[in-house]
Amino acid sequence: MVKVFNWQINREMEYPYAHTPPAKQFAAVFDINKCIACQTCTMACKNAWTAGRGQEYMLFNNVETKPYGFYPMGWDVNILRLLGPQTWRGPTYTGKTIFEAAPADRAAVGYIPENEDWANPNIGEDEALGTIDGGAYFTLPHPVWSFYLQRVCNHCTYPGCLAACPRKAIYKRPEDGIVLVDQERCRGYRECTRSCPFKKVMYNQVTRVAEKCLACYPRIEQGLQPYCTVTCIGRIRVNGWIHDPKQVDPESPVDFMVHVRKVALPLYPQFGLGVNIYYVPPIHVPPRYLTQMFGPGVERAIDTYRRAKDDPELLGALLLMGATPRWIEKFRVRDGIAMGYDARGAEIVRVPLTEPLHIRPAFDAARAVYRQNIT
Amino acid sequence: MRTVSRRRFLQATASTGAALAAAALLRDVAFLQTIPEIANPLTFYPNRGWEKVYRDLYRTDEQFAFLCAPNDTHNCLLNAHVRNGVVTRIEPSYLYGSAIDVDGRQASHRWDPRACSKGLSLVRRFYGDRRVPGAMIRRGYLTWAQRGFPRDAATGAPPAEHFQRGKDEWVKVPWDEAFRIVSAALVNTATTYSGPTGQQRLTRQGYDEAMVQTQAGIGTQVLKFRGGMPFLGATRIFGLYRFANSLALLDAKLRGVQPDQAVGGRMWDSYTWHTDLPPGDPMVTGQQTVDFELFTVEHAKLVTLWGMNWIATKMPDGHWLTEARLRGTRIIAISAEYQATANKADEVIILRPGTDAALAFGVAKVIIDEKLYDEQFVTRFTDLPLLVRMDTLKKLQAKDVVPGYRPAALTNFARVLPPGQAGRPVPQQDGLEIPEAMRESWGDYVVWDSRSNGPRPVSRDQVGTYFDSTGITPALEGTWSVRLVDGTTVQVRTIFSLQVEYLQTYDAATVSGLTWVPQDGIRQLARQIAANKGGTLLVRGVGPNHFFNADNKDRAIFLVAALTRNIGHHGGTIGAYAGNYRISIFNGLPQYIAEDPFNLTTDPNQPARTRSYVRAESAHYFNYGDRPLRVGNKNFTGKTHMPTPTKFMWFANSNSLLGNIKGFYDVMHNTLPKVETIVVNEWWWTLSCEYADVVFGVDSWAEHKHPDMAGSVTNPFVTVYPRSPLKRIFDTVADIETFAGVAKALAAEAGDRRIADVWQFVDQGRTDVYLQRICDASTTLRGYRFLEMETKAKRGEPVLALFRTYPKVIGWEQTQESRPWYTRTGRLEFYRDEDEFIEYGENLSIYREPVDGTPYEGNVIVANRPHPALRPTQPAAYGLGADDLSTETRQVRNVVMSWAQLETTRAARAKDGLTHVFITPKYRHGAHTTPTDVDTTAVLFGPFGDMYRRDKRMPWVNEAYADINPSDAKALGVQDGDYIWIDADPADRPYRGWKPDDPDYKVSRLMCRARYYTGIPRGVLRMWFNMYQASHGTVAAHESRADGLAKSKGSNYQSSFRYGGHQSATRAWLRPTLLTDSMFRKNNIGQTMGSGFESDVYCANGAPKESFVRITRAESGGTAEIPVWRPVALGLRPTAENEAMKQYLAGTYVRTE
């Protein structure tokens, strides 16, 4: 074990391997407030990557309703139970990470799901915590609530799967930090499945190897965002390169939302993985449950998001989600327009913060026609 | 493009797993390799060559764009990516932001991406095992046809042995043979029911006398046609209307009449068939529907969602709502349960289903009591200041009080046509075209002028700024005596004062009791709407619209909108959302659907000559048993609405007409036996196909060989279906080729080549000629070249429809430019003085209880004290007993009760154990009415998905379920995940005449899983609409197959229900206020008006959510291994949480210091 620094828990922690940061780190921001649980992302991923034999149950991307939804069954209840109650002191996590809590013969605390745990992939769909027995009227925060949690592989800085593989068949690509299972060298021991708390490495019983979200790397290599991002009609996702807090690029949309505005938070940072998918927490949910999931920055993030109407830069970053299938390296907001740029600084897309209104003349003389709204 | 046979494709993809491919490459070598030295896989990895596997998987050969257009209103141009000739992936085009109009105005990339899970899953549907493989004919029907359509000598009815629908097998026949059979059926049917002999046969078969009279011995009038949501296909779905029009040629032959006496086929409605029309809109405005394109929300300050689950049913436009919220727009969700859109809302109001009108009245009363209403808007744009005669309850006419009164000349967006003068073509209509006689019949109305203290006439021109210039200061409240020209004196009152008097019933306590909404919620809602005048979007959904009292709900919410000036502004207006209905956006459609078949225009560069020979009716009568609404001693169905008997039906693109019809099992059991021919165009075998006679297998959206176009009501784009380069996957033809094919056979049989000539451009591959004609004649398309639109569509880019505003807001010209509405008064009308409305107690805007979906007595008018304008005819006058609360009678009862009295009543069938209001809304896993079709989308639909179907009772990889409050479930002994029976009123559901040992009963009785759902109130049960229901074939398979799969043998039709379906609990309903001949409204297309029936504007509308049910436990949700549904045993379910789950829900696994 060596010591590595994990900024998400604001301290050093133990990990089997020393940390060399990749040249760039693949990351994304998901705005939970805009997710409509349409599962278009799930379908895009499934069609592209898990439509073969043995893959029937696999969803590299899934969307579950919190708090009664899970895929696989009870995954986060299970890992939280295995870890036990833990503590944050301010921004510092003083509890144990999954590596620090590992049993002697394992890389991390974890478990292998039963086969049946992968059934009912949308259990809890739209179910709320709290009961409506009759009529009701309430405002924020909702006393009866649910929200949607979209999950892919987090392409962690300190992956649980990579730490656990006895054959070192899991690696992080040095050019972009994408975590992959070597399909040739994997022998199906399933230690990765055991050790990933998010259960995003899955075992194929037909081919007898593990498979996982590949960050659509063939697309990334062409300067495109992954399928789950580009098919998101809720326009909740944007990908980008995340930097270490000491090397923030405020023009990168992900760095801006994570490090500058701090409106996007890591998922279960206390597990100690250095996850790279960041979430804007739902503003209508009471903070206690959210803090368990996203750490101590929840209330500040919600407050910042609710003031977006007076923050054109944040508004612009959020409204660039879904605007283009191409990878956005940098963004800028000027005069009510948000613009995205590629690595060479060329503009790839622009969107207005408010869609303009047009009124056409009642009579189009050139074409001899009266234009009507009521036809 | 290389082509690969389906078999080889399936074989190849069986080993698609990347690992398998890689392993195959290095199988022998890999196991011999030692583990290479990998010091730190975070830093460096030596064996990355394998990564090519996913790059290979990702690569495709080419792509093409196609249009996905089910009835959801979105119409997404998608890119299909092709590998070895097979579509393997679908992506959004990202070109909506590039769309421009004829003047170069552009949309923005705020519109992108546009797609959804169902669109992406089409890869499995194009190649699926339910594709209709070609022309299919049911064997029994084929035999009947081959025998020459033998019939009973006396009644003309065919022998029942040929009509074992649902229990028969299917034969694939060559296309020409199929066309000949359908053509022969058309001729045989029309001949059989021709003349007095034909009418006599119909009478002997038991049809209502009024229907037989309406058919008038015209054989073509028993032939019914419906293109399902024809706005989705201007030529290929609307083609059925063109075909029906051309049957005038057949009629001319059969009856030997001249063209001006000829009658074509009968057309069925679409928008009103789906119960998507908000029926109060034509009553208040004269216009079909008042709505706005959904991105109007960019400009609103407040959005109130009345029973509209925006993020689940308008998914590609969900982001407009959430992005508006980002910018400070406030969202209030009003619904019957905590549903998906509730979790996007700032405020949530939960109410009793079907009581929205009462809530709106409560809101209106607060606004009026607290003087928060906009008096200016109300006096200038509504009928509320107009005077009503308290003797007749009719609006006071100017001619009643002004001696020698001449109706005012009309010039405000109006053109009065002297007799014999024709109207202008639609693009040149610069005003409402009103025949002089119609204008005279309307007269002019009267207000009380406070300034001169006397009655003053007001014409329909005088609205908005035109009213200002009259100098009249109308009183809103008051009672006066007025001397009429005949010397008598009558008392008159303003409509406002009459309505306000009625609203006294709706104090906060009454409304709270009736609707369940806490009083504070009523007040907050009212004050917030009033605080955002002209800045509130009042959005009505299909939840409340699917109740019998839907028109009451519209009139009430419109009142709130009018009081707060929230009509016709970009930031504040009223909307209604359902399917894709507004065919008038292509108001040049008559160029195609009404081209005169006796006078065809063969020059492709000339417009067509039009003449309509068809007649129309609502399909709700077919649903109701192919009969009108006749209850007690009265026929409630107006003459203009009266249907004819249905002996032949042909529909396209519409499982809703049969497979998802309300009361499906009643229709199947009791109504279908008298229909002699059912022809369905489909590319995917549906429940409609299971019970049809002929199924024409048509091209899927990926295979179109003829272009077409579709428009939208919720977005400003016009989308073309571009011709596809993909080779046809099955032996299918285009929809439009089925019409042309039958027409060819019919031309030969009838001996009139013009019947085939109607389709000459189809034969020439020039369907674009029809489409260009439609474009040139449409106000929204004129200026576009269709073939250029197709070129853009081929890359996935739409064009913009040319409305007056972007976004389109219905009512913008009325409010901003003082144009009159399409009513007699020119104003928004809250008072209806037609005789029928007065008779039914609906002259004022009132509240009625739901007719079936209520724990109380159904359809009661609620008023806490007698009202001088409320004088409805009582049941005894119709020859009905006072205690007769049967379903038929309830439709026409006009009993008035106070809330206190209503509260003591119980639903008619409560004594039979019926306890729950049963609602069946639409959901995210289907597109509008389309059920969930393929395994990958189905497995995510609800909590019971399992790709491996470990519990063999599951009908498929998912199964139907109903959401129930856990307290209700426990009281009924139902555990989370158990199977339950859901039974509605046994008098007529699941079908009239059912018996427990009838084999059809087993197929028809609804069984599903129960899911504990804490977000739904007690007494309400919710099931989603979008699942395929059980058929004879699926039940037989479910019970006989070892694996229990409910998959119909032969057709592969797949049900998500073991037994029955959601339509086991529903039925047809006919509302008398929608069936009058006297109500004036705008015609569907163009600037003209009429009265009485108008398809999709004013006619029967149904009420699919009206259901009150009993719930009984059927089976345990557990299996032999686990006695309860597994998640319950794991302690992860509401009311059954284990310790860890409880801590997790409380958030106590983490403590912050």
Side-chain angles (χ1 to χ4, degrees), chain A residues 47 68 125-126 171 182 217 227 235 289 355 360 367 371, chain B residues 45 47 51 89 91 108 112 120 779 806 925 1137 1144:
Chain A
N47 270 344
Y68 284 99
E125 185 177 23
D126 282 349
Y171 62 98
D182 182 335
Y217 66 78
Y227 269 139
R235 304 176 101 247
Y289 176 89
E355 185 74 1
R360 294 188 175 93
R367 300 171 186 102
R371 303 293 185 195
Chain B
Y45 192 77
N47 187 55
E51 288 178 15
R89 288 199 308 274
E91 296 175 19
S108 84
D112 290 300
L120 300 201
T779 60
Y806 170 95
H925 299 293
E1137 298 94 337
Y1144 164 80

mmCIF file of all heavy atoms in Angstrom, chain A residues 47 68 125-126 171 182 217 227 235 289 355 360 367 371, chain B residues 45 47 51 89 91 108 112 120 779 806 925 1137 1144:
data_model
loop_
_atom_site.group_PDB
_atom_site.id
_atom_site.type_symbol
_atom_site.label_atom_id
_atom_site.label_comp_id
_atom_site.label_asym_id
_atom_site.label_seq_id
_atom_site.Cartn_x
_atom_site.Cartn_y
_atom_site.Cartn_z
ATOM 1 N N ASN A 47 -27.586 -0.372 -26.832
ATOM 2 C CA ASN A 47 -27.546 -0.701 -28.253
ATOM 3 C C ASN A 47 -26.128 -0.768 -28.783
ATOM 4 O O ASN A 47 -25.798 -1.602 -29.613
ATOM 5 C CB ASN A 47 -28.278 0.382 -29.067
ATOM 6 C CG ASN A 47 -29.723 0.070 -29.236
ATOM 7 O OD1 ASN A 47 -30.158 -1.057 -29.024
ATOM 8 N ND2 ASN A 47 -30.480 1.062 -29.616
ATOM 9 N N TYR A 68 -35.648 4.520 -3.537
ATOM 10 C CA TYR A 68 -36.014 3.101 -3.542
ATOM 11 C C TYR A 68 -35.511 2.358 -4.771
ATOM 12 O O TYR A 68 -35.819 1.180 -4.944
ATOM 13 C CB TYR A 68 -37.541 2.928 -3.411
ATOM 14 C CG TYR A 68 -38.040 3.167 -2.005
ATOM 15 C CD1 TYR A 68 -38.606 4.382 -1.639
ATOM 16 C CD2 TYR A 68 -37.939 2.174 -1.026
ATOM 17 C CE1 TYR A 68 -39.050 4.614 -0.349
ATOM 18 C CE2 TYR A 68 -38.384 2.393 0.267
ATOM 19 C CZ TYR A 68 -38.938 3.614 0.601
ATOM 20 O OH TYR A 68 -39.385 3.844 1.883
ATOM 21 N N GLU A 125 -38.939 2.776 -9.576
ATOM 22 C CA GLU A 125 -39.141 3.852 -10.553
ATOM 23 C C GLU A 125 -40.205 4.827 -10.086
ATOM 24 O O GLU A 125 -41.332 4.437 -9.798
ATOM 25 C CB GLU A 125 -39.516 3.280 -11.924
ATOM 26 C CG GLU A 125 -39.623 4.376 -12.989
ATOM 27 C CD GLU A 125 -39.924 3.873 -14.388
ATOM 28 O OE1 GLU A 125 -40.481 2.759 -14.517
ATOM 29 O OE2 GLU A 125 -39.622 4.599 -15.344
ATOM 30 N N ASP A 126 -39.828 6.083 -9.981
ATOM 31 C CA ASP A 126 -40.712 7.190 -9.582
ATOM 32 C C ASP A 126 -41.263 7.079 -8.168
ATOM 33 O O ASP A 126 -42.150 7.836 -7.781
ATOM 34 C CB ASP A 126 -41.885 7.347 -10.577
ATOM 35 C CG ASP A 126 -41.460 8.056 -11.854
ATOM 36 O OD1 ASP A 126 -40.348 8.610 -11.891
ATOM 37 O OD2 ASP A 126 -42.258 8.061 -12.812
ATOM 38 N N TYR A 171 -6.636 -1.275 -16.267
ATOM 39 C CA TYR A 171 -5.662 -0.169 -16.293
ATOM 40 C C TYR A 171 -6.352 1.138 -16.614
ATOM 41 O O TYR A 171 -7.501 1.138 -17.053
ATOM 42 C CB TYR A 171 -4.566 -0.467 -17.320
ATOM 43 C CG TYR A 171 -5.085 -0.587 -18.741
ATOM 44 C CD1 TYR A 171 -5.016 0.491 -19.638
ATOM 45 C CD2 TYR A 171 -5.659 -1.777 -19.212
ATOM 46 C CE1 TYR A 171 -5.490 0.382 -20.944
ATOM 47 C CE2 TYR A 171 -6.133 -1.899 -20.499
ATOM 48 C CZ TYR A 171 -6.041 -0.820 -21.360
ATOM 49 O OH TYR A 171 -6.527 -0.938 -22.642
ATOM 50 N N ASP A 182 -8.859 -5.219 -19.776
ATOM 51 C CA ASP A 182 -8.217 -5.845 -20.947
ATOM 52 C C ASP A 182 -8.984 -7.123 -21.291
ATOM 53 O O ASP A 182 -8.961 -8.114 -20.542
ATOM 54 C CB ASP A 182 -6.762 -6.165 -20.609
ATOM 55 C CG ASP A 182 -5.988 -6.775 -21.786
ATOM 56 O OD1 ASP A 182 -6.615 -7.380 -22.695
ATOM 57 O OD2 ASP A 182 -4.759 -6.664 -21.791
ATOM 58 N N TYR A 217 -14.664 5.188 -25.705
ATOM 59 C CA TYR A 217 -13.375 5.771 -26.100
ATOM 60 C C TYR A 217 -13.182 5.884 -27.610
ATOM 61 O O TYR A 217 -12.510 6.818 -28.060
ATOM 62 C CB TYR A 217 -12.193 5.039 -25.436
ATOM 63 C CG TYR A 217 -11.963 3.603 -25.854
ATOM 64 C CD1 TYR A 217 -11.340 3.269 -27.057
ATOM 65 C CD2 TYR A 217 -12.355 2.563 -25.009
ATOM 66 C CE1 TYR A 217 -11.123 1.944 -27.414
ATOM 67 C CE2 TYR A 217 -12.139 1.232 -25.354
ATOM 68 C CZ TYR A 217 -11.527 0.920 -26.556
ATOM 69 O OH TYR A 217 -11.316 -0.393 -26.894
ATOM 70 N N TYR A 227 -21.838 8.345 -25.913
ATOM 71 C CA TYR A 227 -23.230 8.162 -26.314
ATOM 72 C C TYR A 227 -24.210 8.614 -25.244
ATOM 73 O O TYR A 227 -25.225 9.228 -25.548
ATOM 74 C CB TYR A 227 -23.507 6.705 -26.662
ATOM 75 C CG TYR A 227 -23.302 6.395 -28.108
ATOM 76 C CD1 TYR A 227 -22.687 5.213 -28.505
ATOM 77 C CD2 TYR A 227 -23.738 7.277 -29.097
ATOM 78 C CE1 TYR A 227 -22.493 4.924 -29.848
ATOM 79 C CE2 TYR A 227 -23.548 7.006 -30.434
ATOM 80 C CZ TYR A 227 -22.930 5.833 -30.809
ATOM 81 O OH TYR A 227 -22.737 5.554 -32.131
ATOM 82 N N ARG A 235 -30.751 17.141 -21.581
ATOM 83 C CA ARG A 235 -29.637 18.106 -21.655
ATOM 84 C C ARG A 235 -29.046 18.304 -20.264
ATOM 85 O O ARG A 235 -28.926 19.417 -19.754
ATOM 86 C CB ARG A 235 -30.090 19.433 -22.259
ATOM 87 C CG ARG A 235 -30.722 19.278 -23.635
ATOM 88 C CD ARG A 235 -31.241 20.584 -24.181
ATOM 89 N NE ARG A 235 -30.328 21.158 -25.152
ATOM 90 C CZ ARG A 235 -29.653 22.297 -24.966
ATOM 91 N NH1 ARG A 235 -29.792 22.984 -23.853
ATOM 92 N NH2 ARG A 235 -28.843 22.751 -25.897
ATOM 93 N N TYR A 289 -30.014 13.235 3.396
ATOM 94 C CA TYR A 289 -29.773 12.091 2.512
ATOM 95 C C TYR A 289 -28.732 12.461 1.463
ATOM 96 O O TYR A 289 -27.861 11.654 1.130
ATOM 97 C CB TYR A 289 -31.093 11.685 1.846
ATOM 98 C CG TYR A 289 -30.966 10.568 0.842
ATOM 99 C CD1 TYR A 289 -31.079 9.229 1.224
ATOM 100 C CD2 TYR A 289 -30.756 10.842 -0.508
ATOM 101 C CE1 TYR A 289 -30.971 8.207 0.301
ATOM 102 C CE2 TYR A 289 -30.640 9.822 -1.437
ATOM 103 C CZ TYR A 289 -30.760 8.511 -1.032
ATOM 104 O OH TYR A 289 -30.648 7.493 -1.959
ATOM 105 N N GLU A 355 -34.059 31.678 -25.721
ATOM 106 C CA GLU A 355 -34.373 31.519 -27.148
ATOM 107 C C GLU A 355 -35.117 32.767 -27.625
ATOM 108 O O GLU A 355 -36.096 33.185 -27.007
ATOM 109 C CB GLU A 355 -35.240 30.266 -27.338
ATOM 110 C CG GLU A 355 -35.547 29.889 -28.779
ATOM 111 C CD GLU A 355 -34.354 29.271 -29.533
ATOM 112 O OE1 GLU A 355 -33.284 29.123 -28.904
ATOM 113 O OE2 GLU A 355 -34.498 28.945 -30.712
ATOM 114 N N ARG A 360 -43.593 37.286 -37.208
ATOM 115 C CA ARG A 360 -43.536 37.445 -38.672
ATOM 116 C C ARG A 360 -44.603 38.459 -39.104
ATOM 117 O O ARG A 360 -45.614 38.638 -38.418
ATOM 118 C CB ARG A 360 -43.796 36.107 -39.360
ATOM 119 C CG ARG A 360 -42.698 35.069 -39.107
ATOM 120 C CD ARG A 360 -42.898 33.821 -39.960
ATOM 121 N NE ARG A 360 -41.780 32.887 -39.792
ATOM 122 C CZ ARG A 360 -41.766 31.891 -38.914
ATOM 123 N NH1 ARG A 360 -42.811 31.668 -38.146
ATOM 124 N NH2 ARG A 360 -40.713 31.107 -38.821
ATOM 125 N N ARG A 367 -44.902 36.179 -51.160
ATOM 126 C CA ARG A 367 -45.459 34.852 -51.460
ATOM 127 C C ARG A 367 -46.985 34.852 -51.439
ATOM 128 O O ARG A 367 -47.604 33.801 -51.532
ATOM 129 C CB ARG A 367 -44.885 33.827 -50.484
ATOM 130 C CG ARG A 367 -43.352 33.761 -50.618
ATOM 131 C CD ARG A 367 -42.700 32.929 -49.519
ATOM 132 N NE ARG A 367 -41.245 33.049 -49.642
ATOM 133 C CZ ARG A 367 -40.485 33.825 -48.876
ATOM 134 N NH1 ARG A 367 -41.036 34.519 -47.887
ATOM 135 N NH2 ARG A 367 -39.182 33.899 -49.074
ATOM 136 N N ARG A 371 -49.930 34.840 -42.917
ATOM 137 C CA ARG A 371 -49.420 33.889 -41.933
ATOM 138 C C ARG A 371 -50.299 33.951 -40.686
ATOM 139 O O ARG A 371 -50.634 35.044 -40.217
ATOM 140 C CB ARG A 371 -47.966 34.246 -41.552
ATOM 141 C CG ARG A 371 -46.998 34.309 -42.737
ATOM 142 C CD ARG A 371 -46.741 32.976 -43.416
ATOM 143 N NE ARG A 371 -45.715 33.085 -44.466
ATOM 144 C CZ ARG A 371 -45.493 32.165 -45.395
ATOM 145 N NH1 ARG A 371 -46.224 31.058 -45.427
ATOM 146 N NH2 ARG A 371 -44.535 32.344 -46.292
ATOM 147 N N TYR B 45 0.414 0.578 -19.316
ATOM 148 C CA TYR B 45 -0.117 -0.753 -19.566
ATOM 149 C C TYR B 45 0.431 -1.275 -20.884
ATOM 150 O O TYR B 45 0.312 -0.602 -21.909
ATOM 151 C CB TYR B 45 -1.644 -0.713 -19.590
ATOM 152 C CG TYR B 45 -2.250 -2.084 -19.544
ATOM 153 C CD1 TYR B 45 -2.311 -2.800 -18.351
ATOM 154 C CD2 TYR B 45 -2.736 -2.687 -20.705
ATOM 155 C CE1 TYR B 45 -2.839 -4.062 -18.311
ATOM 156 C CE2 TYR B 45 -3.281 -3.958 -20.676
ATOM 157 C CZ TYR B 45 -3.329 -4.649 -19.470
ATOM 158 O OH TYR B 45 -3.859 -5.901 -19.424
ATOM 159 N N ASN B 47 -0.344 -3.936 -22.868
ATOM 160 C CA ASN B 47 -1.074 -4.783 -23.820
ATOM 161 C C ASN B 47 -2.325 -4.088 -24.341
ATOM 162 O O ASN B 47 -3.444 -4.522 -24.107
ATOM 163 C CB ASN B 47 -1.460 -6.098 -23.126
ATOM 164 C CG ASN B 47 -2.077 -7.093 -24.115
ATOM 165 O OD1 ASN B 47 -1.479 -7.421 -25.134
ATOM 166 N ND2 ASN B 47 -3.278 -7.568 -23.810
ATOM 167 N N GLU B 51 -7.645 -3.063 -27.676
ATOM 168 C CA GLU B 51 -8.626 -1.961 -27.725
ATOM 169 C C GLU B 51 -9.254 -1.815 -29.108
ATOM 170 O O GLU B 51 -10.305 -1.178 -29.259
ATOM 171 C CB GLU B 51 -7.964 -0.634 -27.314
ATOM 172 C CG GLU B 51 -7.660 -0.544 -25.816
ATOM 173 C CD GLU B 51 -6.959 0.760 -25.433
ATOM 174 O OE1 GLU B 51 -6.954 1.708 -26.250
ATOM 175 O OE2 GLU B 51 -6.412 0.824 -24.317
ATOM 176 N N ARG B 89 -27.254 1.076 -35.126
ATOM 177 C CA ARG B 89 -27.364 2.096 -34.085
ATOM 178 C C ARG B 89 -28.102 3.301 -34.636
ATOM 179 O O ARG B 89 -28.088 3.553 -35.837
ATOM 180 C CB ARG B 89 -25.975 2.577 -33.625
ATOM 181 C CG ARG B 89 -25.187 1.610 -32.811
ATOM 182 C CD ARG B 89 -24.091 2.315 -32.026
ATOM 183 N NE ARG B 89 -23.256 3.152 -32.859
ATOM 184 C CZ ARG B 89 -22.197 2.723 -33.537
ATOM 185 N NH1 ARG B 89 -21.857 1.461 -33.515
ATOM 186 N NH2 ARG B 89 -21.479 3.564 -34.247
ATOM 187 N N GLU B 91 -28.856 7.522 -33.774
ATOM 188 C CA GLU B 91 -28.417 8.703 -32.999
ATOM 189 C C GLU B 91 -29.262 9.907 -33.366
ATOM 190 O O GLU B 91 -29.790 9.980 -34.478
ATOM 191 C CB GLU B 91 -26.957 9.036 -33.348
ATOM 192 C CG GLU B 91 -25.951 7.979 -32.965
ATOM 193 C CD GLU B 91 -24.551 8.325 -33.440
ATOM 194 O OE1 GLU B 91 -24.286 9.506 -33.729
ATOM 195 O OE2 GLU B 91 -23.716 7.400 -33.533
ATOM 196 N N SER B 108 -32.136 27.593 -32.754
ATOM 197 C CA SER B 108 -30.817 27.517 -32.111
ATOM 198 C C SER B 108 -30.569 26.093 -31.630
ATOM 199 O O SER B 108 -31.482 25.273 -31.573
ATOM 200 C CB SER B 108 -30.740 28.464 -30.915
ATOM 201 O OG SER B 108 -31.283 27.823 -29.766
ATOM 202 N N ASP B 112 -31.397 21.005 -29.573
ATOM 203 C CA ASP B 112 -30.795 19.683 -29.728
ATOM 204 C C ASP B 112 -30.369 19.124 -28.368
ATOM 205 O O ASP B 112 -30.114 19.909 -27.459
ATOM 206 C CB ASP B 112 -29.556 19.788 -30.631
ATOM 207 C CG ASP B 112 -29.937 20.076 -32.077
ATOM 208 O OD1 ASP B 112 -30.659 19.237 -32.654
ATOM 209 O OD2 ASP B 112 -29.511 21.129 -32.602
ATOM 210 N N LEU B 120 -34.334 5.162 -30.234
ATOM 211 C CA LEU B 120 -33.058 4.456 -30.315
ATOM 212 C C LEU B 120 -33.256 2.945 -30.351
ATOM 213 O O LEU B 120 -32.437 2.223 -30.928
ATOM 214 C CB LEU B 120 -32.158 4.815 -29.125
ATOM 215 C CG LEU B 120 -31.770 6.280 -28.934
ATOM 216 C CD1 LEU B 120 -30.522 6.380 -28.087
ATOM 217 C CD2 LEU B 120 -31.534 6.993 -30.248
ATOM 218 N N THR B 779 -50.779 27.991 -45.362
ATOM 219 C CA THR B 779 -50.210 29.259 -44.884
ATOM 220 C C THR B 779 -48.888 29.031 -44.166
ATOM 221 O O THR B 779 -48.071 29.933 -44.092
ATOM 222 C CB THR B 779 -51.181 29.954 -43.909
ATOM 223 O OG1 THR B 779 -51.417 29.088 -42.794
ATOM 224 C CG2 THR B 779 -52.497 30.295 -44.588
ATOM 225 N N TYR B 806 -43.004 32.886 -33.402
ATOM 226 C CA TYR B 806 -42.083 31.818 -32.974
ATOM 227 C C TYR B 806 -41.701 32.152 -31.540
ATOM 228 O O TYR B 806 -41.021 33.152 -31.326
ATOM 229 C CB TYR B 806 -40.831 31.830 -33.862
ATOM 230 C CG TYR B 806 -39.665 30.942 -33.431
ATOM 231 C CD1 TYR B 806 -39.526 29.648 -33.964
ATOM 232 C CD2 TYR B 806 -38.685 31.390 -32.543
ATOM 233 C CE1 TYR B 806 -38.455 28.839 -33.608
ATOM 234 C CE2 TYR B 806 -37.617 30.578 -32.180
ATOM 235 C CZ TYR B 806 -37.498 29.308 -32.724
ATOM 236 O OH TYR B 806 -36.431 28.504 -32.378
ATOM 237 N N HIS B 925 -42.163 5.149 -21.148
ATOM 238 C CA HIS B 925 -41.627 3.967 -21.838
ATOM 239 C C HIS B 925 -42.345 3.657 -23.129
ATOM 240 O O HIS B 925 -41.957 2.750 -23.858
ATOM 241 C CB HIS B 925 -41.658 2.761 -20.901
ATOM 242 C CG HIS B 925 -40.826 2.974 -19.671
ATOM 243 N ND1 HIS B 925 -39.457 3.077 -19.708
ATOM 244 C CD2 HIS B 925 -41.183 3.154 -18.383
ATOM 245 C CE1 HIS B 925 -39.003 3.297 -18.479
ATOM 246 N NE2 HIS B 925 -40.035 3.347 -17.660
ATOM 247 N N GLU B 1137 -38.817 -2.022 5.139
ATOM 248 C CA GLU B 1137 -37.378 -1.725 5.130
ATOM 249 C C GLU B 1137 -36.669 -2.426 6.277
ATOM 250 O O GLU B 1137 -37.151 -2.414 7.415
ATOM 251 C CB GLU B 1137 -37.140 -0.209 5.274
ATOM 252 C CG GLU B 1137 -37.712 0.650 4.153
ATOM 253 C CD GLU B 1137 -39.105 1.188 4.448
ATOM 254 O OE1 GLU B 1137 -39.806 0.569 5.293
ATOM 255 O OE2 GLU B 1137 -39.500 2.205 3.863
ATOM 256 N N TYR B 1144 -30.138 4.092 5.765
ATOM 257 C CA TYR B 1144 -29.818 4.675 4.447
ATOM 258 C C TYR B 1144 -30.820 5.778 4.091
ATOM 259 O O TYR B 1144 -30.435 6.871 3.677
ATOM 260 C CB TYR B 1144 -29.836 3.540 3.428
ATOM 261 C CG TYR B 1144 -29.896 3.934 1.974
ATOM 262 C CD1 TYR B 1144 -28.751 4.342 1.305
ATOM 263 C CD2 TYR B 1144 -31.097 3.856 1.263
ATOM 264 C CE1 TYR B 1144 -28.802 4.673 -0.043
ATOM 265 C CE2 TYR B 1144 -31.145 4.192 -0.070
ATOM 266 C CZ TYR B 1144 -30.002 4.591 -0.714
ATOM 267 O OH TYR B 1144 -30.058 4.925 -2.048
#
